Amino acid sequence: MKQMEKEYRSVRVGGMSESSYGTATMECFKREKLGNYTVLFVGPWTPDKLRAIGEFCRKENMRFVMDEMMNRLTGEFTPSYLPVKKEVLEVLEEYRDVLDGSLLMCEYGGLMFYWPHSTVAESRTLPPPASDFGEAAHNTERQMKEALAYARSNGMKPPFICIEACGVAASFLYRAGIDRVDLEVIYTSELERGYSAVKGASLAFGKQHFGVDMAMVWYGGNQHDELWAKRWRTSLFHAFLRGADPVYAEHGVMDYKALGKDYGTEHPQVKRFRSILAEVADYAEKHPRPSGFPKAVIGVVHGRYDGFTGAGQTHLWGQRRNETFRLGVPDRSWSLFERLYRRRAWENRERYGDADFSGNPPLGQADIIPYDAPDEIFSRYQVLFFLGRNCMNGELYRKLIRFVKNGGQLLMTAAHLNTSLLPQGEYEPYLNGDWSELFGVRIRSREDTRLPYGIKFKAEPPCGWRFPLWSPNCDPKYSDGGFLTADLECDGAETLAVASDRFADGVWSDSMQGVIYSRKLGQGCAILVNSLEYPGADGLKELYGFLMDSCCEANQQYPKVECSDRVRFAVYESAPGSILYLLNTEENLAQEVTVHHSATSRSVLRLLPGEIRGIPVRYVVPLRHEKSFSQENVFLVSGK
C-alpha cells in the first residue's frame, strides 16, 4: 500500500469560490461531492471570510488558492485589498497548512503578448519599445520579474500561480519566476497545443504539477443543450488524461451569469453543471493516476526568442505599436502542430504499412519544449523538430549536436539556423553556413533561388522514415508554389530529395539541387530541409507536414493505438506497470480502438460515447533514455 501511495495520486478536482458567496460554495462542494480544491476569485476576500475558508479547508481536508491581490494593469495592490492588506496576509500565514499558493498577474501572457492594444493601453506594466528580438525578450522577462519582486516584497504568499489562457506563454512565465502555470481552457483549436506547451515547460523548469482552469462559462459556448453539457464533461476528463492536477471550474458552480444568461444556484442547467463536476471528482478519487506526466516520443522545440503565443496575437513580444514585429509566415508555422492530432484522409497516397496510426502522436502525446531546456529534458524524446521562429546560437547548436549523437532524430529548416535578431532583418546563417558537423552541408554561395516547381525523393534517412521513392521519372511532388532555397553543398550528408520541374529526369544527377538532406551522427540522425522560409510558408507547409507525419509513423511505440482522431490517449509510467488511458471525445457515437500490444498481439476495444477507460500495461517499449526491456516482454493486461 505504501508503494501504491508513492506511485499514484488522486487528481485534485474543484472550482472557483467567489467572495459574494463566502463559504456557501464550499458547503456546496461538501454536500454534492464536487471535489477538494478551490481557487478564491472575484474578491475582495475579507479577513473574516478568509478565516472561514481556512477553517472549512482544515476540517474537510481541502486546499485553497488565494485570490489575485495585484492589479494586472498597474502591477500594484488592488484598491479593494489595500485597506485590509496587513490582516489578510496574517490570516493567510495562519492557514499556511491548507493554502496552496496565491494567484498572481493572471493572464499575464495576454497583457504582455496577445490582448488587443485597446485593452492594455493604460497599463503601466507593458514592456518598453524594442529594436530586436533579444531586447524585446529581455524587456518582457524583466517586467514579469518586477511584478514578482513587488509581490514578494509586499508579503504575498508563494507559491505564485498564474492562470494563463495561452499555454505557449508558460515558458516565459517560468523564466520570470512563476511557480505554477494553470492553463485556462478556452475551447479553441489551440487546445492540444496549449496542453503540450504547459506540460513541456513544466518539465523543462522542474515543476511537479500544472493545473487547469476550465473556463467553460465564458468560452465553452452559450447554447445550453446536450452538446454543451457533453463538451463540459469531455473537457474535464481530457484534462485528467493530459496530466493536469488540479482541475477546477472557473465559474458556474453557484450560478451562470455570462453570454446573455442569468441562472441561479438551483437552475437545472447550473445543477447539471455541478453534477458533471461531481462525476469527474468521483472518478478522480476512485482512480488515482500514476505520478508524473504522460510519456511522449515527440518534442517540438519552441525556438530561441520566438515570441509567438497565439490566442489572437497580432504582434510579437508585446510590441503592438511596431509593425516590424507583426506576426507573419514564421508564426503561422505553429498551425502545423494541429496536424499531429488530425487523422490523415483515406485517399492520402503516402500512408504505408498495415495500419494507420495517425490522428494522435506516438503514445498520444507531443510536448512543446523550450529551447533552453536542459539536455536531460531533450533526451526524453526520440524526435525533436522545429516549427516557429528561432535565432540560433552556439549553446543551442551544440545541444542539438549532443541530442543527435546520443540517438535522437532532428528535423528543421535552414530558416531555423538564422542568427539575426531583427524582426525583418537579412538572413544571417549560423557559422556563416557551415553546418557540416550537424547536417553535413554548407552554404556554397549566397545565391538563393526559389524551388522551380516540386521535389522528388531519391532516398530515405537512416532513422526509418518512409518516403515515396518513385524513381527520377514521375511527377514532381509538393508543387505548391515553391520556397526560397540556399545554395548548399554536401560535406558528409546524403541527399534525400532534389528539385525538379519535369516528369522525365532520366537518372539521378549530382547536379540536381538538393532539397532535403540527412546526416547520421553518432547514434542519431539530423534531417535538414533546404528552405530559407519557415514551415508555415504556403509552398512548404504540406511538405513539412508530410515529414512530420513520417517521423510520427516511424517512431510509434508500444502500445500502438489505432483509432480515429476523436479518441485521445496517454500512457503513464509507474510501478509495477503503466496505465493506458483512452478517452472517446465523441458525444453520441461509440468508437472502436485497436491496441497493438506487440508485433503479434493486439486487442480490439469499443469505447462508448464519452467513455474514459484506464488499462493497466505491464511493460511498454521504453523511450531511448530509459532502461530497456526485451520486445518479448511487451504485453497488455486488459481491464477496466
Side-chain angles (χ1 to χ4, degrees), residues 614-639:
I615 301 173
V617 180
R618 182 65 58 86
Y619 292 121
V620 296
V621 173
L623 304 186
R624 63 188 179 87
H625 68 289
E626 299 166 329
K627 179 181 177 183
S628 68
F629 299 100
S630 66
Q631 185 78 3
E632 288 74 25
N633 285 335
V634 179
F635 63 95
L636 181 144
V637 181
S638 64

Short mmCIF file of all heavy atoms in Angstrom, two decimals, residues 614-639:
data_model
loop_
_atom_site.label_atom_id
_atom_site.label_comp_id
_atom_site.label_asym_id
_atom_site.label_seq_id
_atom_site.Cartn_x
_atom_site.Cartn_y
_atom_site.Cartn_z
N GLY A 614 -9.12 3.33 -18.28
CA GLY A 614 -7.72 3.12 -17.95
C GLY A 614 -7.39 1.65 -18.02
O GLY A 614 -8.08 0.82 -17.41
N ILE A 615 -6.36 1.31 -18.78
CA ILE A 615 -5.99 -0.09 -18.98
C ILE A 615 -4.58 -0.32 -18.45
O ILE A 615 -3.63 0.34 -18.89
CB ILE A 615 -6.03 -0.46 -20.48
CG1 ILE A 615 -7.42 -0.22 -21.04
CG2 ILE A 615 -5.61 -1.90 -20.69
CD1 ILE A 615 -7.50 -0.40 -22.53
N PRO A 616 -4.41 -1.22 -17.48
CA PRO A 616 -3.05 -1.50 -16.99
C PRO A 616 -2.18 -2.11 -18.09
O PRO A 616 -2.62 -2.96 -18.85
CB PRO A 616 -3.29 -2.50 -15.86
CG PRO A 616 -4.73 -2.38 -15.51
CD PRO A 616 -5.44 -2.00 -16.77
N VAL A 617 -0.95 -1.65 -18.18
CA VAL A 617 0.02 -2.16 -19.13
C VAL A 617 1.24 -2.60 -18.34
O VAL A 617 1.85 -1.78 -17.64
CB VAL A 617 0.42 -1.09 -20.16
CG1 VAL A 617 1.44 -1.63 -21.15
CG2 VAL A 617 -0.81 -0.60 -20.90
N ARG A 618 1.59 -3.87 -18.43
CA ARG A 618 2.70 -4.37 -17.63
C ARG A 618 4.01 -3.71 -18.03
O ARG A 618 4.78 -3.23 -17.22
CB ARG A 618 2.81 -5.89 -17.75
CG ARG A 618 3.91 -6.52 -16.91
CD ARG A 618 3.66 -6.35 -15.42
NE ARG A 618 2.39 -6.91 -15.00
CZ ARG A 618 2.24 -8.19 -14.66
NH1 ARG A 618 3.23 -9.04 -14.72
NH2 ARG A 618 1.05 -8.62 -14.28
N TYR A 619 4.32 -3.71 -19.31
CA TYR A 619 5.51 -3.04 -19.82
C TYR A 619 5.16 -2.36 -21.13
O TYR A 619 4.37 -2.86 -21.91
CB TYR A 619 6.65 -4.03 -20.11
CG TYR A 619 7.24 -4.67 -18.89
CD1 TYR A 619 7.23 -6.05 -18.75
CD2 TYR A 619 7.81 -3.90 -17.88
CE1 TYR A 619 7.77 -6.66 -17.63
CE2 TYR A 619 8.34 -4.50 -16.77
CZ TYR A 619 8.33 -5.87 -16.64
OH TYR A 619 8.86 -6.47 -15.53
N VAL A 620 5.78 -1.24 -21.37
CA VAL A 620 5.74 -0.64 -22.70
C VAL A 620 7.17 -0.55 -23.19
O VAL A 620 8.10 -0.51 -22.41
CB VAL A 620 5.12 0.78 -22.69
CG1 VAL A 620 3.67 0.73 -22.28
CG2 VAL A 620 5.89 1.72 -21.80
N VAL A 621 7.33 -0.57 -24.52
CA VAL A 621 8.67 -0.41 -25.06
C VAL A 621 9.21 0.94 -24.59
O VAL A 621 8.57 1.96 -24.78
CB VAL A 621 8.64 -0.48 -26.59
CG1 VAL A 621 10.02 -0.15 -27.17
CG2 VAL A 621 8.22 -1.87 -27.04
N PRO A 622 10.37 0.97 -23.96
CA PRO A 622 10.84 2.21 -23.34
C PRO A 622 11.32 3.22 -24.36
O PRO A 622 11.68 2.87 -25.49
CB PRO A 622 12.00 1.72 -22.47
CG PRO A 622 12.52 0.53 -23.21
CD PRO A 622 11.31 -0.14 -23.81
N LEU A 623 11.32 4.48 -23.96
CA LEU A 623 11.97 5.50 -24.75
C LEU A 623 13.48 5.33 -24.61
O LEU A 623 13.97 4.65 -23.73
CB LEU A 623 11.52 6.88 -24.28
CG LEU A 623 10.00 7.10 -24.29
CD1 LEU A 623 9.69 8.54 -23.94
CD2 LEU A 623 9.40 6.74 -25.63
N ARG A 624 14.23 6.00 -25.48
CA ARG A 624 15.64 5.66 -25.64
C ARG A 624 16.48 5.97 -24.41
O ARG A 624 17.55 5.40 -24.24
CB ARG A 624 16.22 6.39 -26.84
CG ARG A 624 16.21 7.89 -26.72
CD ARG A 624 16.62 8.55 -28.02
NE ARG A 624 16.60 9.99 -27.91
CZ ARG A 624 17.61 10.72 -27.49
NH1 ARG A 624 18.73 10.13 -27.12
NH2 ARG A 624 17.51 12.03 -27.42
N HIS A 625 16.01 6.85 -23.52
CA HIS A 625 16.82 7.20 -22.36
C HIS A 625 16.55 6.29 -21.17
O HIS A 625 17.15 6.45 -20.12
CB HIS A 625 16.56 8.65 -21.96
CG HIS A 625 15.17 8.86 -21.42
ND1 HIS A 625 14.07 8.80 -22.23
CD2 HIS A 625 14.72 9.12 -20.17
CE1 HIS A 625 12.99 9.03 -21.49
NE2 HIS A 625 13.35 9.21 -20.25
N GLU A 626 15.61 5.34 -21.33
CA GLU A 626 15.20 4.53 -20.21
C GLU A 626 15.76 3.11 -20.30
O GLU A 626 16.16 2.66 -21.36
CB GLU A 626 13.66 4.47 -20.16
CG GLU A 626 13.04 5.85 -19.97
CD GLU A 626 11.55 5.84 -20.25
OE1 GLU A 626 11.10 5.04 -21.08
OE2 GLU A 626 10.85 6.66 -19.65
N LYS A 627 15.75 2.43 -19.17
CA LYS A 627 16.17 1.04 -19.13
C LYS A 627 15.31 0.22 -20.07
O LYS A 627 14.10 0.34 -20.11
CB LYS A 627 16.03 0.51 -17.70
CG LYS A 627 16.42 -0.94 -17.53
CD LYS A 627 16.22 -1.37 -16.08
CE LYS A 627 16.55 -2.85 -15.90
NZ LYS A 627 16.30 -3.30 -14.52
N SER A 628 15.96 -0.62 -20.88
CA SER A 628 15.21 -1.33 -21.92
C SER A 628 14.68 -2.66 -21.43
O SER A 628 15.26 -3.29 -20.54
CB SER A 628 16.10 -1.55 -23.14
OG SER A 628 17.12 -2.46 -22.84
N PHE A 629 13.57 -3.07 -22.00
CA PHE A 629 13.01 -4.39 -21.81
C PHE A 629 13.05 -5.09 -23.16
O PHE A 629 13.00 -4.46 -24.21
CB PHE A 629 11.56 -4.32 -21.31
CG PHE A 629 11.42 -3.64 -19.99
CD1 PHE A 629 11.00 -2.32 -19.92
CD2 PHE A 629 11.70 -4.31 -18.82
CE1 PHE A 629 10.86 -1.69 -18.70
CE2 PHE A 629 11.54 -3.69 -17.60
CZ PHE A 629 11.13 -2.38 -17.53
N SER A 630 13.11 -6.39 -23.15
CA SER A 630 13.09 -7.11 -24.42
C SER A 630 11.72 -7.02 -25.04
O SER A 630 10.71 -6.87 -24.36
CB SER A 630 13.46 -8.58 -24.18
OG SER A 630 12.46 -9.22 -23.42
N GLN A 631 11.69 -7.10 -26.37
CA GLN A 631 10.43 -7.00 -27.10
C GLN A 631 9.45 -8.09 -26.67
O GLN A 631 8.25 -7.89 -26.64
CB GLN A 631 10.71 -7.11 -28.60
CG GLN A 631 9.50 -6.89 -29.49
CD GLN A 631 9.16 -5.43 -29.62
OE1 GLN A 631 9.86 -4.59 -29.10
NE2 GLN A 631 8.08 -5.14 -30.30
N GLU A 632 9.97 -9.24 -26.30
CA GLU A 632 9.09 -10.35 -25.93
C GLU A 632 8.31 -10.06 -24.65
O GLU A 632 7.29 -10.68 -24.37
CB GLU A 632 9.92 -11.63 -25.73
CG GLU A 632 10.45 -12.23 -27.03
CD GLU A 632 11.60 -11.41 -27.61
OE1 GLU A 632 12.28 -10.70 -26.83
OE2 GLU A 632 11.80 -11.46 -28.83
N ASN A 633 8.80 -9.11 -23.83
CA ASN A 633 8.13 -8.81 -22.58
C ASN A 633 7.01 -7.79 -22.72
O ASN A 633 6.43 -7.36 -21.73
CB ASN A 633 9.15 -8.27 -21.56
CG ASN A 633 10.03 -9.37 -21.01
OD1 ASN A 633 9.63 -10.53 -21.00
ND2 ASN A 633 11.23 -9.02 -20.58
N VAL A 634 6.74 -7.38 -23.95
CA VAL A 634 5.71 -6.37 -24.16
C VAL A 634 4.35 -7.05 -24.27
O VAL A 634 4.11 -7.84 -25.17
CB VAL A 634 6.00 -5.56 -25.43
CG1 VAL A 634 4.91 -4.53 -25.64
CG2 VAL A 634 7.35 -4.88 -25.32
N PHE A 635 3.48 -6.78 -23.32
CA PHE A 635 2.12 -7.29 -23.43
C PHE A 635 1.19 -6.40 -22.64
O PHE A 635 1.61 -5.57 -21.85
CB PHE A 635 2.02 -8.73 -22.94
CG PHE A 635 2.34 -8.93 -21.48
CD1 PHE A 635 1.31 -8.95 -20.55
CD2 PHE A 635 3.64 -9.08 -21.05
CE1 PHE A 635 1.59 -9.14 -19.22
CE2 PHE A 635 3.92 -9.27 -19.71
CZ PHE A 635 2.91 -9.29 -18.78
N LEU A 636 -0.08 -6.55 -22.89
CA LEU A 636 -1.08 -5.70 -22.26
C LEU A 636 -2.05 -6.58 -21.50
O LEU A 636 -2.48 -7.62 -21.99
CB LEU A 636 -1.80 -4.88 -23.33
CG LEU A 636 -2.87 -3.92 -22.86
CD1 LEU A 636 -2.83 -2.67 -23.71
CD2 LEU A 636 -4.26 -4.53 -22.95
N VAL A 637 -2.37 -6.15 -20.30
CA VAL A 637 -3.37 -6.85 -19.50
C VAL A 637 -4.65 -6.06 -19.58
O VAL A 637 -4.70 -4.88 -19.23
CB VAL A 637 -2.91 -6.95 -18.02
CG1 VAL A 637 -3.95 -7.71 -17.21
CG2 VAL A 637 -1.57 -7.65 -17.94
N SER A 638 -5.69 -6.64 -20.10
CA SER A 638 -6.95 -5.92 -20.25
C SER A 638 -7.59 -5.70 -18.89
O SER A 638 -7.39 -6.46 -17.95
CB SER A 638 -7.90 -6.68 -21.17
OG SER A 638 -8.23 -7.92 -20.58
N GLY A 639 -8.36 -4.64 -18.78
CA GLY A 639 -9.04 -4.35 -17.53
C GLY A 639 -9.83 -3.08 -17.65
O GLY A 639 -9.69 -2.35 -18.61
#
